[in-house]
Amino acid sequence: MCCNMASLKQILYLGVCMSAWMITVADEHAPKAENVRWVSLDFKTLLMWTPTPSNYTFTVQYSWDDSDWMKSPNCIQISETECDLSNELEPLRRTFVADIQTEPVHNTDFELDEFPHTNSPPFTPYGQSEISAAEFTVEVAEEGRVSVTIEDPLTSFHKYGKQLTIRDILKNDLQYKISYYKSGNTGKRDIIFKSNRGEVSGLDPGQSYCFMVAAFIPSRSKLYQQGAWSIQQCTPGQKNVLQELSLGALVGGLFLLAIVLIVIITVTVLCCRRRNRTSRMSQSSTVI
């Protein structure tokens, strides 16, 4: 009986050692997600990390306000190192945290809790998603005034068959910053529009001005208040005389100038010949 008890203890001890060894092996070889970061543009939000696994996959879960963890249906045992969570992170004003767990591809002898987890930094889509550059048009309204019309960037969300814009989500929180300067000058001025259309006044008539626009969300923290700047657009300035002349008129003017020069040169040559002839005739009369 004592021998049997000793053998049983040895078996249990061996089992404990084997389990500890298996956990150590699993921890040593399983790649842990690193450099976890959120990449979000116009409310399309990706969770990204490194490194790319070999013989391992990743499963992504997310939570908010200490709620239970929920698995992202499109990011279960994936080999990629990114997960699109755009449709899971709603309402957009919530602050979310994600968890990335490493899992083996084939071997299921280990408990999943034995493999490494990595938590993401907190992320609030409404307050932290970057805003892309907007498109806009500039039209000269009258002397010293221009009209600016801005088109809201689109998001990846759809509602009732319509693709939503950033204004559909941000509503009255969305404003636009217009930066402009006179061509040839370095000093810039900024003005804020609360809607997609407005006028810039007080400009020097006949001068060319260049404009850029960017989304501006004053309710956010300063780091995320401003979107990307648009491509610059400039209004035409007053043209000089040569610019206003058409190519045909310029060629015609040069042609007339050439004719005048030819006439002047011809008349001058003829007058010189006549004067020389008169001089020779006068000399001949004197000799006789």
Side-chain angles (χ1 to χ4, degrees), residues 23-255:
I23 292 173
T24 302
V25 171
D27 288 340
E28 286 180 352
H29 295 282
K32 182 179 181 180
E34 299 177 347
N35 303 317
V36 180
R37 62 200 184 278
W38 297 96
V39 178
S40 183
L41 181 65
D42 300 331
F43 303 103
K44 181 177 179 62
T45 303
L46 303 178
L47 183 69
M48 306 184 74
W49 63 92
T50 58
T52 302
S54 177
N55 298 323
Y56 290 90
T57 60
F58 294 114
T59 293
V60 177
Q61 303 179 87
Y62 61 95
S63 176
W64 66 91
D65 299 333
D66 297 325
S67 63
D68 294 335
W69 289 101
M70 299 182 64
K71 290 185 178 181
S72 174
N74 297 321
C75 301
I76 298 175
Q77 294 184 329
I78 59 174
S79 58
E80 296 83 7
T81 56
E82 67 176 49
C83 174
D84 189 344
L85 290 169
S86 304
N87 295 325
E88 278 78 43
L89 305 185
E90 294 189 80
L92 296 174
R93 290 180 182 270
R94 284 177 176 169
T95 299
F96 295 87
V97 177
D99 172 80
I100 306 169
Q101 181 176 27
T102 306
E103 299 179 356
V105 175
H106 303 296
N107 194 336
T108 58
D109 294 335
F110 304 118
E111 292 292 332
L112 292 181
D113 290 339
E114 299 169 359
F115 290 86
H117 291 252
T118 305
N119 285 341
S120 73
F123 179 75
T124 307
Y126 189 89
Q128 293 178 262
S129 184
E130 301 286 346
I131 304 299
S132 60
E135 296 183 358
F136 72 105
T137 58
V138 178
E139 295 181 358
V140 178
E142 59 182 38
E143 288 296 315
R145 293 170 53 234
V146 298
S147 175
V148 180
T149 303
I150 306 166
E151 185 176 345
D152 296 322
L154 295 171
T155 71
S156 59
F157 295 110
H158 291 76
K159 188 174 183 180
Y160 306 124
K162 173 193 172 185
Q163 188 171 6
L164 301 183
T165 67
I166 60 171
R167 185 169 294 280
D168 293 326
I169 294 175
L170 296 169
K171 301 187 184 303
N172 292 333
D173 282 342
L174 175 62
Q175 301 178 14
Y176 282 100
K177 180 183 289 187
I178 289 82
S179 181
Y180 66 96
Y181 66 94
K182 186 192 300 185
S183 295
N185 291 355
T186 57
K188 290 186 178 181
R189 296 181 181 179
D190 293 336
I191 187 172
I192 301 295
F193 286 179
K194 292 186 177 180
S195 64
N196 294 64
R197 178 174 292 185
E199 287 188 347
V200 180
S201 58
L203 307 179
D204 293 337
Q207 295 295 315
S208 173
Y209 283 82
C210 296
F211 297 81
M212 294 188 300
V213 305
F216 183 67
I217 311 159
S219 62
R220 289 182 168 189
S221 64
K222 287 187 177 181
L223 183 62
Y224 299 100
Q225 280 184 345
Q226 185 172 304
W229 283 109
S230 67
I231 297 174
Q232 179 177 274
Q233 293 194 42
C234 301
T235 61
Q238 188 175 17
K239 298 179 180 179
N240 57 38
V241 175
L242 289 178
Q243 289 176 324
E244 292 177 348
L245 289 174
S246 65
L247 180 61
L250 183 60
V251 172
L254 292 174
F255 180 73

Side-chain angles (χ1 to χ4, degrees), residues 264-282:
I264 292 173
I265 293 172
T266 303
V267 170
T268 302
V269 171
L270 291 175
C271 289
C272 290
R273 288 180 178 178
R274 184 175 180 180
R275 185 178 302 168
N276 290 336
R277 183 181 302 169
T278 302
S279 178
R280 287 197 300 269
M281 290 178 63
S282 177

